[in-house]
Amino acid sequence: MAAKMLLSFAALLSFFAVLAAGSRSPDVQAVVAPLGSTAAAAGGSNGHECVYTIYVATGSIWMGGTDAVVGVTLAAADGRGFRITDLARWGGLMGAGHDYYERGNVDVFSGRGPCLPSPPCRMILTSDGSGENHGWYCRSVEVTATGPRAGCAKAEFGVDQWLARDATPYQLYAERSVCLRGKGGDAEE
């Protein structure tokens, strides 16, 4: 009960922080791209009524940090979702000059996006492989979502994978789903 109240409070604070920040520069709006027919289900003039807070934990493995651009795609169980091509530009909250995705860090991002028909339960984490240190070991991603006439939803994605061209599984993305996870802990993967 206390954890649910804390989660709701955190989502509410994120919601007000984004509202207080107002709209960002026009090029940041291009960072969020809808998938499928999300925009029709979202409502509003631009469909960006919901607030998402994303926590990204980089592993503490040696050379686990990256200078690459990291993005994420979030989707509901029915496949409708949206893509954020650059998390730091979209809603980096760590302050000016912060070096995102460094070894052992948990970075926080929050911003508006299209409301989904159900809580986000699928995630594709991507790296563009750029920068001096392109390889990255992501430990986990946690997403909270809230919006008008909607409760607070939370999804936790254990990643524990390199996003790199020179380490297994030799790919710059990680795809995870918790859509079928029940109270018993069963998961679709």
Side-chain angles (χ1 to χ4, degrees):
M1 176 78 173
K4 189 172 184 176
M5 287 177 50
L6 183 60
L7 177 62
S8 297
F9 181 70
L12 187 62
L13 279 178
S14 296
F15 181 75
F16 285 119
V18 170
L19 288 178
S23 63
R24 298 176 189 258
S25 62
D27 67 323
V28 175
Q29 289 299 322
V31 173
V32 178
L35 305 174
S37 58
T38 303
S45 59
N46 66 1
H48 293 87
E49 289 186 355
C50 285
V51 174
Y52 296 86
T53 302
I54 302 172
Y55 302 85
V56 177
T58 297
S60 56
I61 293 174
W62 183 71
M63 298 293 290
T66 189
D67 298 322
V69 175
V70 173
V72 68
T73 299
L74 298 173
D78 69 357
R80 288 189 280 178
F82 61 95
R83 179 178 302 114
I84 302 166
T85 56
D86 184 340
L87 278 170
R89 275 186 43 211
W90 170 74
L93 297 179
M94 303 304 288
H98 179 73
D99 198 1
Y100 288 96
Y101 318 114
E102 291 305 312
R103 190 174 96 167
N105 284 359
V106 175
D107 298 308
V108 184
F109 310 89
S110 190
R112 294 184 199 183
C115 294
L116 299 177
S118 61
C121 61
R122 295 177 195 255
M123 180 220 42
I124 303 172
L125 187 65
T126 59
S127 166
D128 72 351
S130 66
E132 187 175 327
N133 299 314
H134 83 278
W136 177 46
Y137 191 87
C138 180
R139 190 176 75 226
S140 65
V141 174
E142 184 177 309
V143 178
T144 62
T146 191
R149 297 166 303 284
C152 184
K154 177 181 173 184
E156 296 178 25
F157 303 96
V159 178
D160 291 314
Q161 176 186 317
W162 281 100
L163 280 72
R165 292 186 203 100
D166 58 358
T168 58
Y170 305 104
Q171 59 193 27
L172 293 173
Y173 68 93
E175 188 170 355
R176 300 292 185 268
S177 175
V178 294
C179 292
L180 297 180
R181 180 169 285 174
K183 299 227 185 255
D186 298 329
E188 168 192 307
E189 300 239 21

